[in-house]
Amino acid sequence: MLERPIPIVPTLRGKTVVNLFFEPSTRTSTSFAIAAKRLSCDVVNFSRVASSVQKGETLLDTTRNIEAMRVDGVIIRHSCPGAARFLAKRINAFVINAGDGAHEHPTQALLDAFTLLQKIKTLEKKKILILGDIAHSRVARSDIWIFKKLGAEVSVCGPPTLIPPYIEEEMKVKVYFDLDKALPGMDVINVLRLQLERQKRGVFPSLREYRRFYCLTEERLKKAKKDVIIMHPGPLNRGIEIHPDVADGKRSVILHQVRAGVAVRMAILFLLAGGKIEKEKRE
Ligand code: CP
């Protein structure tokens, strides 16, 4: 539909959603807004800094007040793990998790899987490496769930201080600390942003050292398959976790991921606001 000359349909006319973002976002908030508009759904962008949250209003009070204005759905990003679920249990409007702390980012996982399915048709038996700051990444957790569900063999790689100790046992992924050993045979490398704002203490000696051991460069990629797919959820720390030549190179699908985000979020809004999923199933 997005490729049509007039990419808009009246499917969700009369519906309203609120983009309730308590943390910064470019891709997720904008693509949800565009997805809603493509479906003729009204979308209101909530600004934390210009809201009564600044006066101490709680998350629940803020959301209940917004719901009282007869909105159909709330798209929430919050620094607290479980924030979306907390609201979903307490309000009648549908709630979409647009990222809750370092916990989950389900719509990113859906768009990542959709991107890969468009590129390589199936994830069955594909080898996917998630590289970098696994410990602070909500994308890593959601991606591991979906990639494994679709049959992929998932590995993670990063410094020991950025790999949660439980991950191998509980999420059944292979762990590498040495990137050069992890690269051979991978079909997909999903590079994660180094989440400097979530790291409370020094988890590696310096950015220089991180770059030396874990930055994905063209030189390092010589160890990988020629047609390996490079992903990154964004925003990029160019030159730290990924070299610009790799991020902008022919194997990169980073902007494809962003475009897929609009389509996937349209589908999610259609299912929820179009009344195709009852409240119990939404949770
Ligand atoms: N991938 C992602 O969540 O990007 P934003 O933080 O810009 O929304």
Side-chain angles (χ1 to χ4, degrees):
M1 204 207 95
L2 294 173
E3 307 302 327
R4 291 181 194 163
I6 302 173
I8 188 159
V9 290
T11 314
L12 297 184
R13 199 159 53 194
K15 303 282 183 184
T16 305
V17 292
V18 176
N19 248 345
L20 196 64
F21 277 60
F22 290 85
E23 282 191 337
S25 167
T26 297
R27 281 144 288 267
T28 314
S29 62
T30 309
S31 62
F32 263 118
I34 291 173
K37 285 172 197 286
R38 296 284 180 254
L39 294 165
S40 303
C41 177
D42 289 326
V43 57
V44 178
N45 287 312
F46 166 91
S47 162
R48 184 183 63 86
V49 285
S51 76
S52 290
V53 171
Q54 297 300 91
K55 301 176 199 163
E57 190 166 56
T58 66
L59 170 63
L60 186 56
D61 281 338
T62 299
T63 316
R64 279 194 173 139
N65 277 271
I66 288 171
E67 191 184 29
M69 298 176 210
R70 295 257 178 257
V71 303
D72 299 282
V74 171
I75 300 154
I76 180 171
R77 169 169 291 185
H78 201 280
S79 58
C80 287
R85 187 155 179 77
F86 172 84
L87 287 185
K89 287 184 170 298
R90 287 165 180 80
I91 66 173
N92 289 317
F94 65 80
V95 177
I96 300 175
N97 183 0
D100 57 336
H103 179 223
E104 293 270 2
H105 194 347
T107 65
Q108 179 72 40
L110 287 166
L111 75 88
D112 286 346
F114 181 66
T115 300
L116 287 177
L117 290 175
Q118 283 194 315
K119 293 285 170 192
I120 51 179
K121 310 288 181 249
T122 176
L123 297 197
E124 201 66 49
K125 302 261 185 312
K126 299 290 184 203
K127 291 185 190 305
I128 303 182
L129 179 68
I130 304 180
L131 168 63
D133 186 354
I134 311 296
H136 301 95
S137 174
R138 50 194 173 213
V139 176
R141 254 164 287 275
S142 292
D143 272 356
I144 290 170
W145 290 126
I146 200 162
F147 292 159
K148 286 183 72 75
K149 197 173 180 64
L150 294 174
E153 294 168 21
V154 182
S155 304
V156 297
C157 176
T161 47
L162 292 179
I163 307 272
Y166 62 83
I167 202 158
E168 190 163 18
E169 189 72 23
E170 288 186 18
M171 299 192 84
K172 308 279 181 259
V173 295
K174 192 164 179 187
V175 174
Y176 291 94
F177 301 123
D178 182 337
L179 179 55
D180 293 325
K181 290 204 173 109
L183 289 174
M186 290 297 162
D187 296 293
V188 178
I189 305 169
N190 190 11
V191 188
L192 299 179
R193 183 172 70 89
L194 198 53
Q195 307 226 356
L196 298 165
E197 76 280 13
R198 286 191 209 281
Q199 294 168 11
K200 293 195 170 44
R201 62 196 159 81
V203 284
F204 47 83
S206 66
L207 281 181
R208 196 162 148 256
E209 186 157 316
Y210 185 87
R211 189 184 297 127
R212 182 168 157 222
F213 289 105
Y214 295 103
C215 182
L216 194 63
T217 59
E218 285 290 352
E219 187 57 33
R220 275 223 158 87
L221 271 181
K222 286 179 186 158
K223 296 192 173 71
K225 280 183 171 177
K226 276 199 166 43
D227 58 352
V228 65
I229 293 174
I230 309 298
M231 308 179 84
H232 192 305
L236 310 178
N237 289 313
R238 282 178 180 265
I240 295 179
E241 70 259 356
I242 189 165
H243 191 281
D245 290 347
V246 176
D248 303 329
K250 59 182 189 312
R251 289 173 285 201
S252 166
V253 296
I254 295 171
L255 292 178
H256 189 106
Q257 287 171 265
V258 177
R259 192 172 313 121
V262 178
V264 164
R265 288 169 177 134
M266 282 173 69
I268 294 165
L269 288 172
F270 171 72
L271 289 171
L272 292 170
K276 304 286 182 211
I277 300 180
E278 307 94 57
K279 182 157 172 60
E280 306 80 66
K281 289 197 190 139
R282 279 190 229 149
E283 289 181 8

